[in-house]
Amino acid sequence: MMSRPLKVTAVSGSYKLPSRTAALVQAITQKLGQQIPIDLHVVELSEIAGSLVASYDPKALPINVQQDIQAIETADLLVVATPVYRASYGGLFKHLFDLVNLEALIDVPVLLAATGGTERHALIIDHELRPLFSFFQAVTLPIGVYAVEADFENYQIKSEAVKARIDLAVERALPLLKHRELLSQEKLLAI
């Protein structure tokens, strides 16, 4: 049992709302919240995109964007999802993470997800997202979630296979999250 709610920051990398990517993020965080107590902060790229490009210095950005970056840097768990744009994540998605402190995500678990038009982009999780978070020395969780247009109806997941993948991703993440919580408690007791 977790001693406090897990600080989860979810990043939806879509440039518009509503979006399938945002729906996927919502489904993953909802499933996670059914399993353990979470304190959720959602970063919608579509809502901060205009402000995000204002500077390469996070301190010069509007306060709401600074708060989103701080939520990413202080999360116990990141849930990160992006739509596929020409076989990769978009430039503003990358720019958001360019503004994150280089050492803030060391050992932070990251559940990766993506949406695309067809199955041919499913490897974005392993070929684009894992390397990005490896750079930060984050711990990418073993099961990612990928969904295509046909998996949604009215921006809701209708595919039972995608729902099962979400269940599996969360199920496989829980032991690591609980283990990290125990280690954190042991460190506090040792002080």
Side-chain angles (χ1 to χ4, degrees):
M1 188 67 160
M2 307 291 273
S3 63
R4 63 175 175 81
L6 190 71
K7 285 177 57 177
V8 177
T9 298
V11 178
S12 174
S14 180
Y15 295 166
K16 65 183 181 80
L17 278 176
S19 75
R20 290 181 296 277
T21 304
L24 184 58
V25 165
Q26 181 181 15
I28 293 168
T29 55
Q30 187 173 45
K31 184 63 177 182
L32 186 64
Q34 292 170 356
Q35 302 299 314
I36 57 173
I38 65 171
D39 178 12
L40 179 62
H41 180 96
V42 178
V43 178
E44 287 287 354
L45 189 60
S46 62
E47 294 176 356
I48 64 170
S51 299
L52 191 61
V53 297
S55 177
Y56 275 99
D57 178 6
K59 294 178 182 122
L61 293 168
I63 192 71
N64 65 314
V65 180
Q66 289 182 40
Q67 290 169 340
D68 284 342
I69 292 169
Q70 183 180 19
I72 291 169
E73 293 175 343
T74 60
D76 296 321
L77 168 69
L78 289 175
V79 174
V80 178
T82 183
V84 179
Y85 293 106
R86 299 186 181 184
S88 186
Y89 43 75
L92 285 176
F93 175 87
K94 174 64 166 62
H95 183 59
L96 173 63
F97 285 96
D98 287 341
L99 298 170
V100 171
N101 182 289
L102 295 175
E103 296 178 356
L105 302 182
I106 294 173
D107 293 331
V108 174
V110 184
L111 196 157
L112 302 171
T115 58
T118 67
E119 293 290 341
R120 72 183 190 167
H121 296 298
L123 288 175
I124 185 174
I125 291 173
D126 291 321
H127 290 248
E128 298 288 331
L129 293 174
R130 285 193 200 284
L132 174 62
F133 290 97
S134 290
F135 168 80
F136 284 104
Q137 301 176 56
V139 178
T140 56
L141 296 174
I143 305 292
V145 182
Y146 181 78
V148 297
E149 281 185 45
D151 294 326
F152 297 86
E153 186 175 298
N154 296 321
Y155 298 101
Q156 297 296 313
I157 297 172
K158 70 174 186 177
S159 167
E160 292 304 317
V162 172
K163 291 177 185 177
R165 185 74 175 185
I166 291 168
D167 291 349
L168 181 61
V170 170
E171 177 185 320
R172 293 285 303 276
L174 290 176
L176 174 66
L177 298 174
K178 290 176 181 174
H179 177 72
R180 289 176 53 85
E181 174 70 8
L182 286 173
L183 290 176
S184 176
Q185 289 174 5
E186 287 175 6
K187 285 181 184 176
L188 288 175
L189 290 174
I191 294 177

